[in-house]
Amino acid sequence: EGFRYDVEGRGNPSDMPAFLPLSPTLGAALFAGTVYVFGTLLSGYPSSRLGSVYPARELGYDKIRGEYSAPAAAIFLVTSLYTLVSLLEGLDVYIQAGIYASITLFGLWVKLGTPVSMPSGPRDHPMDRLPEWDGKTHRFHAGWRVEVDQESHEITEKEVANGHKLTGEAAGRQMWYFDEKEAKCGPEDKSVLDFNAAKNPNASDQIFRDQQIRKWKAKGGKVPDKSWKPATALDTARKGMAFYQMLQCSDGHFAGDYGGPHFLMPGLITVWYITGKDESFISKGKREAMIHYFRVHQQKDGGWGTHIESPSTMFGTTLCYIALRLLGVPKDDPAVVKGRAFIKGQKGALYTSSWAKFYLCLLGVMHWEGHNSIPAEFWMLPDWFPFHPGRLWCHCRMVYLPMSYLYSLRFVYPEAETDLVTLSLREELYCEAYDSINWDATRHWVAPMDNYSPKPWTMRVAQDILAYWERLGGPILRLFRGYGLKFAIEYMKAEDLQTNYVDIGPVNKVLNMLSSWVDGGMDVKDDNFQKHILRVPDYLWVAEDGMKMQGYNGSQCWDTSFAIQAIAEAKLADEFPECTRKAYRYFERTQILSTEVSRATPAFKYEGEESRRRFYRHVSEGGWPFSTSAHGWPISDCTSEGLKGMLTLRPFDVIKKWKQAPPMTDQRYFNAANVLLTLQNFDGGFATYENNRGYGWYEALNPSETFGDIMIDYSYVECTTASLQGLVAFHKMFPKHRSDEIKASIANAKSFLKRIQRDDGSWYGSWACCFTYAAWFGIEGLVLCGESLESPSIRKCVEFLKSHQNDNGGWGEDFRSCYDKRYAIEGMKAYGDEQGSGVVPTAWALMAILKAKNPIDKVCIEKGIHYLMRRQLDSGDWPQEGISGVFNRSCGITYTAYRNVFPIWALGRYAREYIPIL
Ligand code: LAN
């Protein structure tokens, strides 16, 4: 046969090139270099792209961006190509060509194909049930008051009286407490305490608003004249703002109800119950207010939804049901009887979804054998492992962290065997006798109404293998589990300290709390547990539907930023000087780890490189949060919103001429830009809190059943546009700082925005309902990236919106758009107007079309603007309609500020930016 080299006449075997056609030393060095770079890229991934505030380079590795510098990347590329060519040299030309072609195609597919972040849809099985209530009006009692900032710290410290002090910035903290005086005088108009879910399950936050207005009046503030009927768009915005400014809190933030999900408060109540029903944890008054909440939201069929607008689900119902029982509502109470009938009608609690099962297991009213494994030893996998939990979306990761701890300990409420309520629940929740249940056989059971993301067979198999591991792991399991548990508790403590015990969200808050109690020897007096108690009020809100647990510790920074941008675009900033100054101060205090107070907390210590690597935390310093500085998790778009808020205000006279303006160094702006730059993904888009660290196939391992697309931090149209806006605003103010990177970032983002646009011109909205919201971001983003206003991408989206406008000029999709991934054309019929329009989606659609600045859209725009004008209430407020926010595809969340801020903004944009081009 001989060598091909002979045949081709290229010499005889003795001159055949060595394995690498180089000198052995150079070849070996290059090979080692490639392996090193490639290896680090792969293995360090979850912990390497964490950014850094302090410029640092190490062997060509840029720690700020978490990437190799351009020369290092070029060397890497050349070396790998060279190595590849040498390796392929001996092969048949056709094979060589095939390999090169496949590599090229793969590259093109990655760069130009559908990004992994493209949400699928429309879904095959749209939601086919509607929620229904019995139509009764419930009146809540007066007496709850909200306090913010330092005063809120004082009240909590006095109420809880455990000697511990709250840490971190007080700005933005909101807490509700019961006040005898308020109970006696209360609101003048008692109807603000009324709630009727059949009319609208969304409370309109009347208690809070009423109090703010009373405070405003008491300080001599002017209330908009009810008889004034503004005749122009600008005056409507002005009146809207005159109303809205009354709601601003003393520390400058805009507050509001951030409730919606029904599955959160039951978690808190369960933990309160297990840890000994401490009065300072949930007082009697709060418990009653919570019971009120559950009662008014119960539906006709006896169940509760996953959130306020959802038809009943087993997830919502089992949790609200046990919550009522733990709060002391007896078994034969009519609401409980009805709730039980619903659960039994769905074949019992064995069919509720996994997150509800988790609480049942903790309480000892379900056996851990009936729960799929969440092994703590997963944390011990090496970082390079393709499915390391450090790569999960932070919310998913931070929830499964305490879950892994509690599951791995098989923790059960110690009194479960003797407690009369838990013993009774074992009978109430199931259709069969508790002791006769074969738990292991029920691990995968879930009612279809809960099963938004059915687990594929792969996940079932994985879970079945884990079930064997649980049973047969023996000493090996115990060894690794021991390390896993130790790491889990260390990680939770880090999270607690980094967030001043607020924690990233309401689910890990309560589970971390329980874990700290377990770790502290099941002692309520344990320091960590006591510090946790101080932060429980941060999550509670009171509205006319009672006391609820919010989806976050509020939406303070987010709402304040929108308020400021709306005022600025309507050019009203100088008309509302007090309001703008207060907001500026709020942003200043809220920038993460950037003020003296925030740097004095233990969180600052955790910002060090080593701990961030250990706990998979992206750089935080300089970012802005969604809520408060004390919460401390930066988010891409919230960083940008905070930055924009400050930069928008800087040029106004009210700020420029303000002698006591809080100091902002340039470095603080640089840090914010730094956070944003580090957060751009390889696909050009921006995710929420971190870079995307995993892969699309993780979704096949989503164990939650009820939620969709939660496994990794995808890039979103919303986060991408918002982040870009911050970078562009920054670039205008500081044109010399990292300008090349910013320009490159804009170009990359533009291509991402186009790739994620759907064929019909729309974008899918992941964080609010839905296509109108996303259209606003989509068009705004493209325009910002310099896309021509006539471009097909922009026009297609405008046409998409126009085709969904109702005759009365409004737009009105609702939560179902997000759930079904299909425009819910009659969305707002239930809670908006009779044609299905609503003010918030109308404002978003208008914001999008107005940004496309085209005279040909005039008729459509004016119809929309008149709609918003018509719908303004005499007070200057707008009505509360359907739920605006959403997360994880299947759960709605309230943003009461939206009904004010977006109409004001759209009207202002029309008056100031559109009329002039006509
Ligand atoms: C939020 C609230 C803010 C929201 C925006 C900034 C608006 C968005 O643009 C990015 C995503 C983000 C940060 C977001 C993510 C999911 C959150 C944190 C929430 C909707 C608030 C509540 C929700 C959280 C997951 C709820 C807790 C429930 C679990 C399933 C863990």
Side-chain angles (χ1 to χ4, degrees), residues 258 261 263-264 355 393 395-396 399 504-508 551-552 558 626 635-638 687-689 707 710 716 718-719 767 773 777 886-888 893 895 898:
Y258 197 53
F263 64 93
L264 304 172
W355 284 26
W393 180 44
H395 273 281
C396 190
V399 166
I504 194 172
V507 180
N508 87 321
Y552 220 68
W558 186 248
F626 180 65
I635 301 168
S636 65
D637 50 1
C638 301
T688 64
Y689 295 73
F707 301 119
I710 58 165
Y716 297 98
E718 296 100 311
C719 300
W767 306 110
Y773 181 67
F777 283 102
V886 73
F887 60 91
N888 305 351
I893 188 156
Y895 285 83
Y898 284 8

Side-chain angles (χ1 to χ4, degrees), residues 400-417:
Y400 280 102
L401 170 67
M403 282 189 170
S404 73
Y405 178 78
L406 294 162
Y407 173 86
S408 298
L409 284 181
R410 300 289 158 89
F411 170 82
V412 177
Y413 168 44
E415 328 251 296
E417 299 301 323

Side-chain angles (χ1 to χ4, degrees), residues 616-684:
Y616 314 101
R617 276 287 296 245
H618 199 94
V619 61
S620 304
E621 184 177 342
W624 267 274
F626 180 65
S627 54
T628 62
S629 155
H631 179 285
W633 276 83
I635 301 168
S636 65
D637 50 1
C638 301
T639 298
S640 175
E641 294 303 338
L643 180 61
K644 272 193 282 172
M646 297 221 72
L647 293 177
T648 309
L649 288 174
R650 248 164 80 123
F652 285 106
D653 278 351
V654 277
I655 304 296
K656 268 200 311 208
K657 296 190 180 147
W658 184 16
K659 292 216 176 62
Q660 291 100 33
M664 267 302 281
T665 55
D666 286 355
Q667 186 60 44
R668 284 176 64 175
Y669 290 109
F670 297 168
N671 289 349
N674 176 54
V675 169
L676 286 173
L677 283 171
T678 57
L679 281 171
Q680 189 165 34
N681 279 328
F682 285 125
D683 63 10

Side-chain angles (χ1 to χ4, degrees), residues 30-52:
L30 277 180
F31 188 70
T34 314
V35 170
Y36 169 75
V37 178
F38 202 62
T40 327
L41 269 183
L42 274 184
S43 68
Y45 191 57
S47 50
S48 66
R49 279 184 61 91
L50 300 177
S52 167

